[in-house]
Coordinates of all heavy atoms in Angstrom, one line a residue:
M1 N 73.3 -33.8 -30.7 CA 73.2 -34.6 -31.9 C 71.9 -34.3 -32.6 O 70.8 -34.5 -32.1 CB 73.3 -36.1 -31.6 CG 73.4 -37.0 -32.8 SD 75.0 -37.1 -33.4 CE 74.8 -38.2 -34.8
L2 N 72.0 -33.8 -33.9 CA 70.8 -33.5 -34.6 C 70.2 -34.8 -35.2 O 70.9 -35.7 -35.6 CB 71.1 -32.5 -35.8 CG 71.6 -31.2 -35.3 CD1 72.0 -30.3 -36.5 CD2 70.5 -30.5 -34.5
N3 N 68.9 -34.8 -35.3 CA 68.2 -36.0 -35.8 C 67.8 -35.8 -37.3 O 66.8 -35.0 -37.5 CB 67.0 -36.3 -35.0 CG 67.3 -37.1 -33.7 OD1 68.0 -38.1 -33.8 ND2 66.9 -36.5 -32.6
Y4 N 68.4 -36.5 -38.2 CA 68.0 -36.4 -39.6 C 68.5 -37.7 -40.2 O 69.4 -38.3 -39.7 CB 68.5 -35.2 -40.3 CG 70.0 -35.0 -40.2 CD1 70.8 -35.7 -41.1 CD2 70.6 -34.3 -39.2 CE1 72.2 -35.6 -41.0 CE2 71.9 -34.2 -39.1 CZ 72.8 -34.8 -40.0 OH 74.1 -34.7 -39.9
Q5 N 67.9 -38.1 -41.3 CA 68.3 -39.3 -42.0 C 68.0 -39.2 -43.5 O 67.4 -38.2 -43.9 CB 67.6 -40.5 -41.4 CG 66.1 -40.4 -41.5 CD 65.4 -41.5 -40.7 OE1 66.0 -42.1 -39.8 NE2 64.2 -41.8 -41.0
V6 N 68.5 -40.1 -44.2 CA 68.3 -40.1 -45.7 C 66.8 -40.0 -45.9 O 66.0 -40.7 -45.3 CB 68.9 -41.4 -46.3 CG1 68.5 -41.5 -47.7 CG2 70.4 -41.3 -46.1
G7 N 66.4 -39.2 -46.9 CA 65.0 -39.0 -47.2 C 64.4 -37.8 -46.6 O 63.3 -37.4 -47.0
D8 N 65.0 -37.3 -45.5 CA 64.4 -36.1 -44.9 C 64.5 -34.8 -45.8 O 65.5 -34.7 -46.5 CB 65.1 -35.8 -43.5 CG 64.6 -36.7 -42.4 OD1 63.6 -37.3 -42.6 OD2 65.4 -36.9 -41.4
I9 N 63.5 -33.9 -45.6 CA 63.6 -32.7 -46.3 C 63.9 -31.6 -45.3 O 63.3 -31.5 -44.3 CB 62.2 -32.4 -47.0 CG1 61.7 -33.5 -47.9 CG2 62.2 -31.1 -47.8 CD1 62.6 -33.9 -49.0
V10 N 64.9 -30.8 -45.7 CA 65.4 -29.8 -44.7 C 65.5 -28.4 -45.4 O 65.6 -28.3 -46.6 CB 66.8 -30.2 -44.1 CG1 66.6 -31.5 -43.3 CG2 67.8 -30.3 -45.1
T11 N 65.6 -27.4 -44.6 CA 65.9 -26.0 -45.1 C 67.2 -25.6 -44.5 O 67.6 -26.1 -43.4 CB 64.8 -25.0 -44.8 OG1 64.8 -24.8 -43.4 CG2 63.5 -25.4 -45.3
M12 N 67.9 -24.7 -45.2 CA 69.2 -24.3 -44.8 C 69.2 -22.8 -44.5 O 68.2 -22.1 -44.8 CB 70.2 -24.5 -45.9 CG 70.2 -25.9 -46.4 SD 71.0 -27.1 -45.3 CE 72.7 -26.7 -45.7
K13 N 70.3 -22.3 -43.8 CA 70.4 -20.9 -43.5 C 70.2 -20.1 -44.8 O 69.6 -19.0 -44.8 CB 71.7 -20.6 -42.8 CG 71.9 -19.3 -42.3 CD 73.3 -19.2 -41.6 CE 73.5 -17.8 -41.1 NZ 74.9 -17.7 -40.5
K14 N 70.9 -20.5 -45.8 CA 70.8 -19.9 -47.1 C 70.2 -20.9 -48.1 O 70.6 -22.0 -48.2 CB 72.1 -19.5 -47.7 CG 72.7 -18.2 -47.1 CD 73.9 -17.8 -47.9 CE 74.5 -16.4 -47.5 NZ 75.7 -16.1 -48.2
G15 N 69.3 -20.4 -49.0 CA 68.8 -21.2 -50.0 C 69.8 -21.4 -51.2 O 70.8 -20.9 -51.2
H16 N 69.4 -22.3 -52.1 CA 70.2 -22.5 -53.3 C 70.1 -21.3 -54.2 O 69.1 -20.6 -54.2 CB 69.7 -23.7 -54.0 CG 70.6 -24.3 -55.0 ND1 70.3 -24.4 -56.3 CD2 71.9 -24.8 -54.8 CE1 71.4 -25.0 -56.9 NE2 72.3 -25.2 -56.0
P17 N 71.1 -21.0 -55.0 CA 71.1 -19.9 -55.9 C 69.9 -19.9 -56.9 O 69.4 -18.9 -57.4 CB 72.4 -20.0 -56.7 CG 73.3 -20.6 -55.8 CD 72.5 -21.6 -55.0
C18 N 69.3 -21.1 -57.1 CA 68.1 -21.2 -58.0 C 66.9 -20.6 -57.4 O 65.8 -20.5 -58.0 CB 67.9 -22.7 -58.4 SG 67.1 -23.7 -57.1
G19 N 66.9 -20.3 -56.1 CA 65.8 -19.7 -55.4 C 65.1 -20.6 -54.5 O 64.2 -20.2 -53.6
E20 N 65.3 -21.9 -54.6 CA 64.7 -22.9 -53.7 C 65.4 -23.0 -52.4 O 66.6 -22.8 -52.3 CB 64.6 -24.2 -54.4 CG 63.8 -25.3 -53.7 CD 62.4 -24.9 -53.4 OE1 62.2 -24.3 -52.3 OE2 61.5 -25.1 -54.2
N21 N 64.7 -23.3 -51.3 CA 65.4 -23.6 -50.1 C 64.8 -24.9 -49.4 O 64.4 -24.9 -48.3 CB 65.4 -22.5 -49.1 CG 66.3 -22.7 -47.9 OD1 67.0 -23.7 -47.8 ND2 66.3 -21.8 -47.0
K22 N 64.7 -25.9 -50.2 CA 64.3 -27.2 -49.7 C 65.3 -28.2 -50.3 O 65.6 -28.2 -51.5 CB 62.9 -27.6 -50.2 CG 61.8 -26.8 -49.6 CD 60.4 -27.5 -49.8 CE 59.3 -26.6 -49.5 NZ 59.0 -25.7 -50.7
W23 N 65.8 -29.1 -49.4 CA 66.8 -30.0 -49.7 C 66.5 -31.4 -49.2 O 66.0 -31.5 -48.1 CB 68.2 -29.6 -49.1 CG 68.6 -28.2 -49.4 CD1 68.2 -27.1 -48.7 CD2 69.5 -27.8 -50.4 NE1 68.8 -26.0 -49.3 CE2 69.6 -26.4 -50.3 CE3 70.2 -28.5 -51.4 CZ2 70.4 -25.6 -51.2 CZ3 71.1 -27.7 -52.2 CH2 71.2 -26.3 -52.1
E24 N 66.7 -32.4 -50.1 CA 66.5 -33.7 -49.6 C 67.9 -34.3 -49.2 O 68.8 -34.2 -50.0 CB 65.9 -34.6 -50.8 CG 65.7 -36.0 -50.3 CD 65.1 -36.9 -51.5 OE1 64.5 -36.3 -52.4 OE2 65.4 -38.1 -51.5
V25 N 67.9 -34.9 -48.0 CA 69.1 -35.6 -47.6 C 69.2 -36.9 -48.3 O 68.3 -37.8 -48.2 CB 69.1 -35.8 -46.0 CG1 70.3 -36.6 -45.6 CG2 68.9 -34.5 -45.3
Q26 N 70.3 -37.1 -49.0 CA 70.5 -38.3 -49.8 C 71.6 -39.2 -49.3 O 71.6 -40.4 -49.7 CB 70.8 -37.9 -51.3 CG 69.6 -37.2 -51.9 CD 69.6 -37.3 -53.4 OE1 70.6 -37.1 -54.0 NE2 68.5 -37.6 -54.0
R27 N 72.5 -38.7 -48.5 CA 73.5 -39.6 -48.0 C 74.0 -38.9 -46.7 O 74.1 -37.7 -46.6 CB 74.7 -39.7 -48.9 CG 75.7 -40.7 -48.7 CD 75.4 -42.1 -49.2 NE 75.1 -42.1 -50.7 CZ 76.0 -42.3 -51.6 NH1 77.3 -42.4 -51.3 NH2 75.6 -42.3 -52.9
T28 N 74.2 -39.7 -45.6 CA 74.7 -39.2 -44.4 C 76.1 -39.8 -44.1 O 76.4 -40.9 -44.6 CB 73.8 -39.4 -43.2 OG1 73.6 -40.8 -43.1 CG2 72.4 -38.7 -43.4
G29 N 76.8 -39.2 -43.2 CA 78.2 -39.7 -42.9 C 79.1 -38.6 -42.6 O 78.6 -37.5 -42.1
V30 N 80.3 -38.7 -42.9 CA 81.3 -37.6 -42.6 C 80.9 -36.5 -43.6 O 81.0 -35.3 -43.2 CB 82.7 -38.1 -42.9 CG1 83.7 -36.9 -42.8 CG2 83.1 -39.2 -42.0
D31 N 80.5 -36.8 -44.8 CA 80.0 -35.8 -45.7 C 78.5 -36.1 -45.9 O 78.1 -37.2 -46.0 CB 80.7 -35.8 -47.0 CG 82.2 -35.4 -46.9 OD1 82.4 -34.3 -46.2 OD2 83.0 -36.1 -47.4
I32 N 77.7 -35.0 -46.1 CA 76.3 -35.1 -46.3 C 76.0 -34.8 -47.8 O 76.5 -33.8 -48.3 CB 75.5 -34.1 -45.4 CG1 75.9 -34.2 -44.0 CG2 74.0 -34.2 -45.6 CD1 75.5 -35.5 -43.3
K33 N 75.2 -35.6 -48.4 CA 74.8 -35.3 -49.8 C 73.4 -34.8 -49.8 O 72.5 -35.4 -49.2 CB 74.9 -36.6 -50.6 CG 74.6 -36.4 -52.1 CD 74.7 -37.7 -52.8 CE 74.5 -37.6 -54.3 NZ 74.4 -38.9 -54.9
L34 N 73.2 -33.7 -50.4 CA 71.9 -33.0 -50.5 C 71.5 -32.8 -51.9 O 72.3 -32.6 -52.8 CB 71.9 -31.6 -49.8 CG 72.4 -31.6 -48.4 CD1 72.7 -30.2 -48.0 CD2 71.2 -32.1 -47.5
K35 N 70.2 -32.9 -52.2 CA 69.6 -32.6 -53.5 C 68.7 -31.4 -53.3 O 67.8 -31.4 -52.5 CB 68.9 -33.7 -54.1 CG 68.5 -33.5 -55.5 CD 67.8 -34.6 -56.2 CE 66.3 -34.7 -55.8 NZ 65.6 -35.7 -56.5
C36 N 68.9 -30.3 -54.1 CA 68.0 -29.2 -54.2 C 66.7 -29.6 -54.8 O 66.8 -30.1 -55.9 CB 68.7 -28.0 -54.9 SG 67.6 -26.7 -55.2
L37 N 65.6 -29.3 -54.2 CA 64.3 -29.7 -54.8 C 63.8 -28.7 -55.8 O 62.8 -28.9 -56.4 CB 63.3 -29.9 -53.7 CG 63.6 -31.1 -52.7 CD1 62.4 -31.3 -51.7 CD2 63.9 -32.4 -53.4
G38 N 64.6 -27.6 -56.0 CA 64.2 -26.7 -57.0 C 64.7 -27.1 -58.4 O 64.0 -27.0 -59.4
C39 N 66.0 -27.5 -58.4 CA 66.7 -27.7 -59.7 C 67.3 -29.1 -59.8 O 68.0 -29.4 -60.8 CB 67.7 -26.6 -59.9 SG 69.0 -26.6 -58.7
D40 N 67.1 -29.9 -58.7 CA 67.7 -31.3 -58.7 C 69.2 -31.3 -58.7 O 69.8 -32.4 -58.9 CB 67.2 -32.1 -59.9 CG 65.7 -32.5 -59.7 OD1 65.2 -32.4 -58.6 OD2 65.1 -32.9 -60.7
R41 N 69.9 -30.2 -58.5 CA 71.3 -30.2 -58.3 C 71.7 -30.9 -57.0 O 71.0 -30.7 -56.0 CB 71.8 -28.7 -58.3 CG 73.3 -28.5 -58.5 CD 73.8 -28.8 -59.9 NE 73.1 -27.9 -60.9 CZ 73.4 -26.7 -61.2 NH1 74.5 -26.1 -60.7 NH2 72.8 -26.0 -62.1
Q42 N 72.8 -31.7 -57.1 CA 73.2 -32.4 -55.9 C 74.5 -31.7 -55.4 O 75.4 -31.4 -56.1 CB 73.5 -33.9 -56.2 CG 72.1 -34.5 -56.5 CD 72.3 -36.0 -57.0 OE1 73.4 -36.3 -57.5 NE2 71.3 -36.8 -56.8
V43 N 74.6 -31.6 -54.1 CA 75.8 -31.0 -53.5 C 76.2 -31.9 -52.3 O 75.4 -32.5 -51.6 CB 75.6 -29.6 -53.0 CG1 75.1 -28.7 -54.1 CG2 74.6 -29.5 -51.8
W44 N 77.5 -31.9 -52.1 CA 78.1 -32.5 -50.9 C 78.6 -31.5 -49.9 O 79.2 -30.4 -50.4 CB 79.3 -33.4 -51.3 CG 79.0 -34.6 -52.0 CD1 78.9 -34.8 -53.4 CD2 78.7 -35.9 -51.5 NE1 78.6 -36.1 -53.7 CE2 78.5 -36.8 -52.5 CE3 78.7 -36.4 -50.2 CZ2 78.2 -38.2 -52.3 CZ3 78.5 -37.8 -50.0 CH2 78.2 -38.6 -51.1
M45 N 78.5 -31.7 -48.7 CA 79.2 -30.8 -47.7 C 79.6 -31.6 -46.5 O 78.9 -32.6 -46.1 CB 78.4 -29.6 -47.4 CG 77.1 -29.8 -46.5 SD 76.3 -28.2 -46.1 CE 75.7 -27.7 -47.7
P46 N 80.6 -31.1 -45.8 CA 81.0 -31.8 -44.6 C 79.9 -31.7 -43.6 O 79.2 -30.7 -43.5 CB 82.2 -31.0 -44.1 CG 82.8 -30.3 -45.3 CD 81.6 -30.0 -46.2
R47 N 79.7 -32.8 -42.8 CA 78.7 -32.8 -41.8 C 78.7 -31.6 -40.9 O 77.7 -31.0 -40.5 CB 78.7 -34.1 -41.0 CG 77.6 -34.3 -40.0 CD 77.5 -35.6 -39.3 NE 78.7 -35.8 -38.6 CZ 79.1 -37.0 -38.2 NH1 78.4 -38.1 -38.5 NH2 80.2 -37.2 -37.5
R48 N 79.9 -31.3 -40.5 CA 80.1 -30.1 -39.6 C 79.5 -28.8 -40.2 O 78.8 -28.1 -39.5 CB 81.6 -29.9 -39.4 CG 82.0 -29.1 -38.2 CD 83.6 -29.1 -38.1 NE 84.2 -28.7 -39.3 CZ 85.2 -29.3 -39.9 NH1 85.7 -30.4 -39.3 NH2 85.7 -28.9 -41.0
D49 N 79.7 -28.6 -41.4 CA 79.2 -27.4 -42.1 C 77.6 -27.6 -42.2 O 76.9 -26.6 -42.0 CB 79.8 -27.2 -43.5 CG 81.2 -26.8 -43.4 OD1 81.7 -26.5 -42.3 OD2 81.9 -26.8 -44.5
F50 N 77.2 -28.8 -42.6 CA 75.8 -29.0 -42.7 C 75.0 -28.7 -41.4 O 74.0 -28.0 -41.4 CB 75.5 -30.5 -43.2 CG 74.1 -30.9 -43.2 CD1 73.2 -30.5 -44.2 CD2 73.6 -31.6 -42.1 CE1 71.9 -30.8 -44.2 CE2 72.2 -32.0 -42.1 CZ 71.4 -31.6 -43.1
E51 N 75.6 -29.2 -40.3 CA 74.9 -29.0 -39.0 C 74.9 -27.6 -38.6 O 74.1 -27.2 -37.8 CB 75.5 -30.0 -38.0 CG 75.2 -31.4 -38.4 CD 75.3 -32.5 -37.3 OE1 75.9 -32.1 -36.2 OE2 74.9 -33.6 -37.5
K52 N 75.8 -26.8 -39.1 CA 75.9 -25.4 -38.8 C 74.8 -24.6 -39.6 O 74.3 -23.6 -39.2 CB 77.2 -24.8 -39.1 CG 78.1 -24.6 -37.8 CD 79.4 -23.8 -38.2 CE 80.5 -24.7 -38.6 NZ 81.7 -24.0 -39.0
R53 N 74.6 -25.1 -40.8 CA 73.7 -24.3 -41.8 C 72.3 -24.8 -41.8 O 71.4 -24.1 -42.2 CB 74.3 -24.5 -43.2 CG 75.7 -23.8 -43.3 CD 76.2 -24.1 -44.7 NE 77.6 -23.7 -44.8 CZ 78.4 -23.9 -45.8 NH1 77.9 -24.4 -46.9 NH2 79.7 -23.6 -45.8
V54 N 72.0 -26.0 -41.4 CA 70.7 -26.5 -41.5 C 69.8 -25.8 -40.5 O 70.2 -25.4 -39.4 CB 70.7 -28.1 -41.3 CG1 71.0 -28.4 -39.8 CG2 69.3 -28.7 -41.7
R55 N 68.5 -25.6 -40.9 CA 67.6 -24.9 -40.0 C 66.4 -25.7 -39.6 O 66.1 -25.9 -38.5 CB 67.2 -23.6 -40.7 CG 68.2 -22.5 -40.7 CD 68.6 -22.1 -39.3 NE 69.7 -21.1 -39.2 CZ 71.0 -21.4 -39.1 NH1 71.3 -22.7 -39.0 NH2 71.9 -20.5 -39.1
K56 N 65.6 -26.2 -40.6 CA 64.4 -26.8 -40.3 C 64.3 -28.2 -41.0 O 64.9 -28.4 -42.0 CB 63.2 -25.9 -40.8 CG 63.2 -24.7 -39.9 CD 61.9 -23.8 -40.2 CE 61.9 -22.7 -39.2 NZ 60.7 -21.8 -39.5
I57 N 63.4 -29.0 -40.5 CA 63.1 -30.3 -41.1 C 61.6 -30.4 -41.3 O 60.8 -30.0 -40.5 CB 63.7 -31.4 -40.2 CG1 63.6 -32.8 -40.8 CG2 63.1 -31.4 -38.8 CD1 64.4 -33.8 -40.1
L58 N 61.3 -31.1 -42.4 CA 59.8 -31.3 -42.6 C 59.4 -32.6 -41.9 O 59.9 -33.7 -42.1 CB 59.7 -31.5 -44.2 CG 58.2 -31.6 -44.7 CD1 57.5 -30.3 -44.4 CD2 58.2 -31.9 -46.2
V59 N 58.4 -32.3 -41.0 CA 57.9 -33.5 -40.2 C 56.3 -33.4 -40.3 O 55.7 -32.4 -39.9 CB 58.3 -33.4 -38.7 CG1 57.7 -34.5 -37.9 CG2 59.8 -33.3 -38.6
D60 N 55.7 -34.4 -40.8 CA 54.3 -34.5 -40.9 C 53.7 -33.2 -41.6 O 52.7 -32.6 -41.2 CB 53.6 -34.6 -39.5 CG 54.0 -35.9 -38.9 OD1 54.3 -36.9 -39.6 OD2 54.0 -36.0 -37.7
G61 N 54.4 -32.8 -42.7 CA 53.9 -31.7 -43.5 C 54.2 -30.3 -43.0 O 53.8 -29.3 -43.6
K62 N 55.0 -30.2 -41.9 CA 55.3 -28.9 -41.3 C 56.8 -28.8 -41.1 O 57.4 -29.8 -40.7 CB 54.7 -28.7 -39.9 CG 53.2 -28.4 -39.9 CD 52.7 -28.1 -38.5 CE 51.3 -28.6 -38.3 NZ 50.9 -28.7 -36.9
F63 N 57.4 -27.6 -41.3 CA 58.8 -27.4 -41.0 C 58.9 -27.0 -39.6 O 58.3 -26.1 -39.1 CB 59.3 -26.3 -42.0 CG 59.7 -26.9 -43.3 CD1 58.8 -26.6 -44.4 CD2 60.8 -27.6 -43.5 CE1 59.1 -27.1 -45.7 CE2 61.1 -28.1 -44.8 CZ 60.3 -27.8 -45.9
I64 N 59.8 -27.7 -38.9 CA 60.1 -27.4 -37.5 C 61.6 -27.2 -37.4 O 62.4 -27.8 -38.2 CB 59.6 -28.4 -36.5 CG1 60.2 -29.8 -36.7 CG2 58.1 -28.5 -36.6 CD1 59.9 -30.7 -35.6
A65 N 62.0 -26.5 -36.4 CA 63.5 -26.3 -36.2 C 64.1 -27.6 -35.8 O 63.7 -28.3 -34.9 CB 63.7 -25.3 -35.1
L66 N 65.2 -27.9 -36.6 CA 65.8 -29.2 -36.4 C 66.4 -29.4 -35.0 O 66.4 -30.4 -34.4 CB 66.9 -29.4 -37.5 CG 67.6 -30.8 -37.5 CD1 66.6 -32.0 -37.5 CD2 68.5 -30.9 -38.7
V67 N 66.9 -28.2 -34.4 CA 67.4 -28.3 -33.1 C 66.4 -28.7 -32.0 O 66.8 -29.2 -31.0 CB 68.1 -27.0 -32.6 CG1 69.4 -26.7 -33.4 CG2 67.1 -25.8 -32.8
N68 N 65.1 -28.5 -32.3 CA 64.1 -28.9 -31.4 C 63.5 -30.3 -31.7 O 62.6 -30.7 -30.9 CB 62.9 -27.9 -31.5 CG 63.3 -26.5 -31.0 OD1 64.2 -26.4 -30.2 ND2 62.7 -25.5 -31.5
Y69 N 64.0 -30.9 -32.7 CA 63.3 -32.1 -33.2 C 64.0 -33.3 -32.6 O 65.2 -33.6 -32.8 CB 63.4 -32.2 -34.7 CG 62.8 -33.5 -35.3 CD1 61.6 -34.0 -34.9 CD2 63.5 -34.2 -36.3 CE1 61.1 -35.1 -35.4 CE2 63.0 -35.3 -36.8 CZ 61.8 -35.8 -36.4 OH 61.3 -36.9 -36.9
K70 N 63.3 -34.0 -31.8 CA 63.8 -35.3 -31.2 C 63.0 -36.4 -31.7 O 61.8 -36.5 -31.5 CB 63.7 -35.2 -29.6 CG 64.4 -34.1 -29.0 CD 65.9 -34.4 -28.8 CE 66.6 -33.3 -28.1 NZ 66.9 -32.1 -28.9
K71 N 63.6 -37.2 -32.5 CA 62.9 -38.4 -33.0 C 62.7 -39.4 -31.9 O 63.5 -39.7 -31.1 CB 63.8 -39.0 -34.1 CG 63.0 -39.8 -35.1 CD 63.8 -40.1 -36.3 CE 63.9 -38.9 -37.2 NZ 64.6 -39.1 -38.5
E72 N 61.5 -39.9 -31.9 CA 61.2 -40.9 -30.9 C 61.8 -42.2 -31.2 O 61.9 -42.7 -32.3 CB 59.6 -41.1 -30.8 CG 59.0 -39.8 -30.1 CD 57.5 -40.0 -29.9 OE1 57.1 -41.2 -29.9 OE2 56.8 -39.0 -29.8
E73 N 62.3 -42.9 -30.2 CA 62.9 -44.2 -30.3 C 61.8 -45.2 -30.6 O 60.7 -45.1 -30.1 CB 63.6 -44.6 -29.0 CG 64.7 -43.7 -28.6 CD 65.9 -43.7 -29.5 OE1 66.1 -44.8 -30.1 OE2 66.6 -42.7 -29.6
E74 N 62.1 -46.1 -31.5 CA 61.1 -47.1 -31.8 C 61.1 -48.3 -30.8 O 62.1 -48.5 -30.2 CB 61.5 -47.7 -33.2 CG 61.3 -46.6 -34.3 CD 61.3 -47.2 -35.7 OE1 61.4 -48.5 -35.8 OE2 61.2 -46.5 -36.6
Ligands
ZN101 ZN1 68.5 -25.3 -56.8

């Protein structure tokens, strides 16, 4: 299970056609809503596809591989 939530910034296997490859997670669930931070375009994709394509997550100012990211329990 990958750890991400609304408000996280992630990168994908492929960037957006506008040239940016930073996305803000805006909605989670069966479908994931993402906003491209280059052009503000919003896209939806099935969670299954999202979890195949997502690569890194921004944590404390650094991008790390999401597969290695374990959020600590509060
Ligand atoms: Zn874009």
Side-chain angles (χ1 to χ4, degrees):
M1 186 83 181
L2 298 174
N3 280 305
Y4 54 87
Q5 60 191 18
V6 171
D8 282 341
I9 307 298
V10 298
T11 67
M12 308 284 280
K13 186 175 180 185
K14 276 189 176 177
H16 196 241
C18 75
E20 185 57 270
N21 190 4
K22 291 195 193 82
W23 305 83
E24 182 184 333
V25 178
Q26 296 203 315
R27 193 86 53 89
T28 59
V30 175
D31 293 312
I32 306 292
K33 185 183 183 188
L34 300 166
K35 186 178 82 172
C36 171
L37 295 185
C39 64
D40 288 345
R41 193 75 54 88
Q42 294 174 334
V43 301
W44 288 90
M45 71 175 69
R47 183 173 60 198
R48 200 177 48 230
D49 290 353
F50 173 77
E51 294 197 348
K52 260 189 272 180
R53 294 178 195 174
V54 70
R55 287 296 178 268
K56 294 186 173 178
I57 183 168
L58 187 62
V59 180
D60 296 334
K62 286 185 213 163
F63 280 101
I64 64 171
L66 185 52
V67 290
N68 295 331
Y69 178 46
K70 302 277 186 279
K71 200 165 285 184
E72 290 183 21
E73 300 290 332
E74 296 195 359

